[in-house]
Amino acid sequence: MQNLKDWETVIGLEIHAQIISKSKLFSGASTNFGSEPNTQVSLVDAAMPGMLPVINKDCVKQAIKTGLGLNGQINKRSVFDRKNYFYPDLPQGYQISQYTQPIVGKGSIEIDLKNGNSKKIGITRLHLEQDAGKSIHDLDPNKTYIDLNRSGVALMEIVSEPDIRSAEEAQEYVKKLRSILRYIQTCDGNMEEGSLRCDVNISVKKKNEDFGTRCEIKNVNSIKSIGQAIKYEFHRQVEIIESGDKVQQETRLFDEKKGETRPMRTKEEAHDYRYFPDPDLPPLEISSDLIGEIKKNLPELPDVKKKKLIDGYGLSSYESSILISDKNNVDFFEAVINENNQRN
C-alpha cells in the first residue's frame, strides 16, 4: 500500500437534533423520553385516515433560533415536502421533511483544533422534519415490535458542507455544534438518548484530485464512535482503490463492538424518495418581526463567551475553549469570579 499521507478524507456530516419541545412537530402528543411504548401517540402520529398535520409554532421558533446561532440565513418562506420510503415504523409511508426550500439556508461555525488553529466549517442548510418510530428486535426471536412514541417528534437536520478533512475535525465540529444547541436551549444534545444523532458522509481522494465516491455511515451515536468510524472507513476505502477496485456508493452501519463499518443498503439519491410538496401543509411564512424578536433574545453564544474569557479574564485560547465546551462550567466560573469581585 502507498503512503497514507498521499490520501485525504472528505467528510460532510448530517446532524439530526431533536428539538426541545413539549409536543411533537405536527400533533399535541407528548415528547417525554422513557415513557411506556405507544403511550404518546396521537391519531396524526399513527397516520389514521383523515388526520391532518398542524405545525407546532414553538418548533418553528426553535429552528429559527438555531439558524441564527449557526450564522445561517433564515428563509422567510419554506415548504414542507413528503419524502417517500417504507419503514415498518413509519406509519404514513412517507416522512414530512423539507428539501428544496428549507427554513434555514447557508451558515457556518468555527471549530478550535488541538494544534491551536481554528477552522470555519460551512453549513449547507437546516431543515425541519418529523422523526420515525422505533423497531425493537430483541424482545422476541421471531417478532419485531414497533414503538411509535418517537413518531412525529420534531427534528432539525443540520447538513454541513464537505469541509471536514479528518476524524478530529469531525469530532470537534459535533462538539461545537452540540455546545451551541445547548447554549441556546433548542436541543439537549443527549446522544445516549438519541436526541442528537449523526450520519457521516465520507470519501477519499488523492490530494489535488476531484472528490471520490462517498459512503454514508448512519446513526453514529457518540463522539468517540464518529472518530472510530471515520478512521476505519478511510483505511477501507483507500485499500479498495489501491487494490484496483472501485468504492461502491452505499449506506453503512458502524459496529461499535467490532470497530468497523458494514454495508446496510445501496445509497439512495433524492430522486429515489420521490419528493413532492405536502398537500396538507401550506408554505411556512415567517415575518421579519418574528426573526428580529428571536434574534434580540438570543443568549450569548460560545464564541462570544470565549472572547470574553480571553479579553476579560486573561485566559488562554485553549483554556477558554475547554470552559465554553460546557455551559454549566462557564456559568459556574463566571459566578465564582463575580462573587469574588463583590467580596473585594
Side-chain angles (χ1 to χ4, degrees), residues 1-10 165 203-213 234 237-244 247:
M1 181 180 289
Q2 294 180 8
N3 194 330
L4 290 177
K5 292 182 179 179
D6 295 337
W7 295 86
E8 68 176 358
T9 48
V10 178
R165 290 293 179 271
S203 64
V204 300
K205 70 181 186 70
K206 289 285 187 69
K207 294 179 179 178
N208 302 318
E209 289 185 355
D210 294 335
F211 288 176
T213 302
F234 169 65
Q237 292 187 22
V238 170
E239 187 174 339
I240 288 173
I241 296 170
E242 291 199 337
S243 67
V247 174

Side-chain angles (χ1 to χ4, degrees), residues 112 302-310 317 320-321 324:
D112 296 313
D303 288 344
V304 176
K305 285 280 191 187
K306 181 180 178 181
K307 189 174 189 305
K308 181 188 292 186
L309 293 175
I310 294 172
S317 178
S320 301
S321 296
I324 67 165

Side-chain angles (χ1 to χ4, degrees), residues 138-162:
D138 57 0
L139 295 181
D140 189 291
N142 301 310
K143 297 177 181 178
T144 292
Y145 291 87
I146 303 296
D147 179 9
L148 294 181
N149 278 352
R150 289 191 64 92
S151 178
V153 166
L155 300 177
M156 299 176 288
E157 181 169 342
I158 303 165
V159 183
S160 82
E161 294 285 336

